[in-house]
C-alpha cells in the first residue's frame, strides 16, 4: 500500500523537524513548507492526503492558506489540521469559517499529533455505501458527491459538517451523545471536545436554514435527527 502523503507547514524549524521525524517514523510520506505560498504551491502540485498547517506563518498565514485550499476545487477535500498556540482564536478555527477540520494546540506531543493524523485520515477515507442519496422535503444529501441542497440551492458544508449530518441522518430518530458523535465523526474522544460538537451543530443548523430544527437537541444527552 502506498504511504499517505502529508504536507507539513511550519515556520519554526525545531517543530518542523520534530514533527517531520515523527511522521516519517509513523510511515508517512512528508512534504514540508515553511511559508504560506510554498504551502499552497506544494498542495496544488502534490494533492496530499492531509495538510498540517501552522496558524502563524510569515507572508500568507494559516488562515489565508486554509481559505485558499478550501476555495480551490482541486484541494477543497483535503483535510486540514491546524496547529495553534494556546489562545489563538481557537473558536474561529473550530467554528470553521476556515473549513479547518481539526486543530492541535501547541505545545503538543508528537505522539498525540500522529494519533490525530491517523484519526483524520481514517474518517476521510472513502467508505463503500449502498445508499448514495437521501432526500426529505427540500433537503437532499448526496453521499457520493457530498452535495447537499436546501430547496434546490446547494449549500457548502465543510467535510466535517457533512460527516456530522450524514451520521445524524444514518441514525434517524435516535439520540447520539456528543461522545458518540466525536467517536464516529471525528474518530476520537478527548476531554473538553464536547463543545466542538456543539459548535459544529450550530454551524450546520445555520446552513440548513428552514430544516435547522430537524436536528433536535436532547437536553443533557446529545442530538437527534427528527424521524
Ligand atoms: Ca509559526
Amino acid at each position: 500500500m502506498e504511504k499517505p502523503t502529508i504536507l507539513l507547514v511550519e515556520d519554526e524549524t525545531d517543530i518542523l523537524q520534530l514533527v517531520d521525524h515523527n511522521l516519517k517514523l509513523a510511515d508517512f510520506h512528508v512534504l514540508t513548507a515553511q511559508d504560506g505560498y510554498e504551502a499552497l504551491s506544494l498542495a496544488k502540485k502534490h494533492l496530499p492526503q492531509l495538510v498540517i498547517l501552522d496558524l502563524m506563518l510569515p507572508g500568507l498565514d494559516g488562515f489565508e492558506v486554509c481559505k485558499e485550499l478550501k476555495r480551490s476545487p482541486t484541494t477543497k477535500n483535503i483535510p486540514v489540521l491546524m496547529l495553534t498556540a494556546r489562545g489563538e482564536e481557537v473558536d474561529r478555527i473550530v467554528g470553521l469559517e476556515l473549513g479547518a477540520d481539526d486543530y492541535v494546540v501547541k505545545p503538543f506531543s508528537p505522539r498525540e499529533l500522529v494519533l490525530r493524523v491517523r484519526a483524520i485520515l481514517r474518517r476521510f477515507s472513502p467508505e463503500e455505501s449502498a445508499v448514495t442519496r437521501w432526500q426529505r422535503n427540500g433537503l437532499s444529501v448526496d453521499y457520493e458527491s457530498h452535495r447537499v441542497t436546501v430547496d434546490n440551492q446547494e449549500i457548502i458544508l465543510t467535510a466535517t459538517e457533512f460527516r456530522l449530518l450524514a451520521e445524524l441522518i444514518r441514525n434517524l430518530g435516535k439520540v447520539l451523545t456528543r461522545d458518540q458523535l466525536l467517536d464516529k465523526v471525528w474518530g476520537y474522544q478527548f476531554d473538553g471536545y464536547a463543545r466542538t460538537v456543539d459548535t459544529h451543530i450550530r454551524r450546520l443548523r445555520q446552513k440548513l436554514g428552514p430544516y435547522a430544527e430537524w436536528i433536535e437537541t436532547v437536553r443533557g444527552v446529545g442530538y437527534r435527527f427528527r424521524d
Side-chain angles (χ1 to χ4, degrees):
M1 218 173 72
E2 219 173 298
K3 292 181 183 186
T5 299
I6 294 177
L7 171 59
L8 170 62
V9 189
E10 169 63 79
D11 59 316
E12 286 160 69
T13 309
D14 291 353
I15 301 179
L16 184 80
Q17 286 173 350
L18 178 73
V19 175
D20 180 38
H21 176 68
N22 278 276
L23 289 171
K24 282 174 179 158
L25 280 181
D27 217 24
F28 293 110
H29 180 240
V30 187
L31 303 166
T32 59
Q34 291 195 271
D35 70 66
Y37 294 106
E38 195 189 0
L40 281 179
S41 101
L42 284 175
K44 284 174 183 180
K45 187 163 166 225
H46 297 278
L47 301 178
Q49 271 72 54
L50 175 90
V51 180
I52 299 176
L53 183 59
D54 184 34
L55 189 55
M56 293 303 161
L57 293 168
L60 207 57
D61 69 17
F63 284 124
E64 294 301 322
V65 173
C66 190
K67 261 192 258 171
E68 181 53 33
L69 287 174
K70 296 296 175 182
R71 187 160 47 212
S72 162
T74 53
T75 54
K76 74 178 172 121
N77 291 324
I78 301 175
V80 174
L81 172 65
M82 279 278 183
L83 298 179
T84 144
R86 203 168 288 280
E88 272 180 353
E89 309 199 65
V90 164
D91 276 344
R92 265 183 80 193
I93 300 166
V94 181
L96 292 181
E97 275 163 60
L98 296 175
D101 299 284
D102 203 353
Y103 70 95
V104 168
V105 175
K106 292 177 184 176
F108 51 83
S109 80
R111 191 178 154 271
E112 188 201 335
L113 186 69
V114 168
L115 287 177
R116 207 69 80 82
V117 164
R118 288 219 172 97
I120 297 174
L121 290 176
R122 229 180 3 253
R123 78 181 143 103
F124 279 85
S125 67
E127 278 168 38
E128 291 301 319
S129 165
V131 183
T132 59
R133 200 157 168 277
W134 179 91
Q135 182 165 17
R136 184 202 285 169
N137 298 357
L139 178 62
S140 124
V141 179
D142 187 314
Y143 292 105
E144 264 175 13
S145 63
H146 281 205
R147 284 186 76 209
V148 177
T149 57
V150 168
D151 297 336
N152 294 319
Q153 189 100 35
E154 182 169 3
I155 58 168
I156 305 301
L157 298 185
T158 66
T160 300
E161 285 163 355
F162 182 86
R163 286 187 57 93
L164 187 56
L165 178 62
E167 192 57 34
L168 287 164
I169 289 175
R170 198 172 296 137
N171 291 279
L172 276 187
K174 197 177 140 197
V175 186
L176 296 172
T177 66
R178 289 175 178 81
D179 279 349
Q180 282 174 322
L181 287 169
L182 281 171
D183 196 39
K184 292 262 175 64
V185 177
W186 278 261
Y188 55 80
Q189 294 181 20
F190 280 117
D191 287 346
Y193 267 71
R195 232 190 78 223
T196 303
V197 177
D198 298 339
T199 310
H200 282 77
I201 291 275
R202 192 161 60 238
R203 199 53 73 142
L204 183 56
R205 279 182 176 143
Q206 279 167 11
K207 293 184 179 180
L208 291 179
Y211 306 108
E213 61 189 40
W214 286 358
I215 299 178
E216 299 172 327
T217 304
V218 181
R219 202 172 289 275
V221 187
Y223 295 98
R224 169 175 62 205
F225 201 91
R226 186 186 295 171
D227 196 0

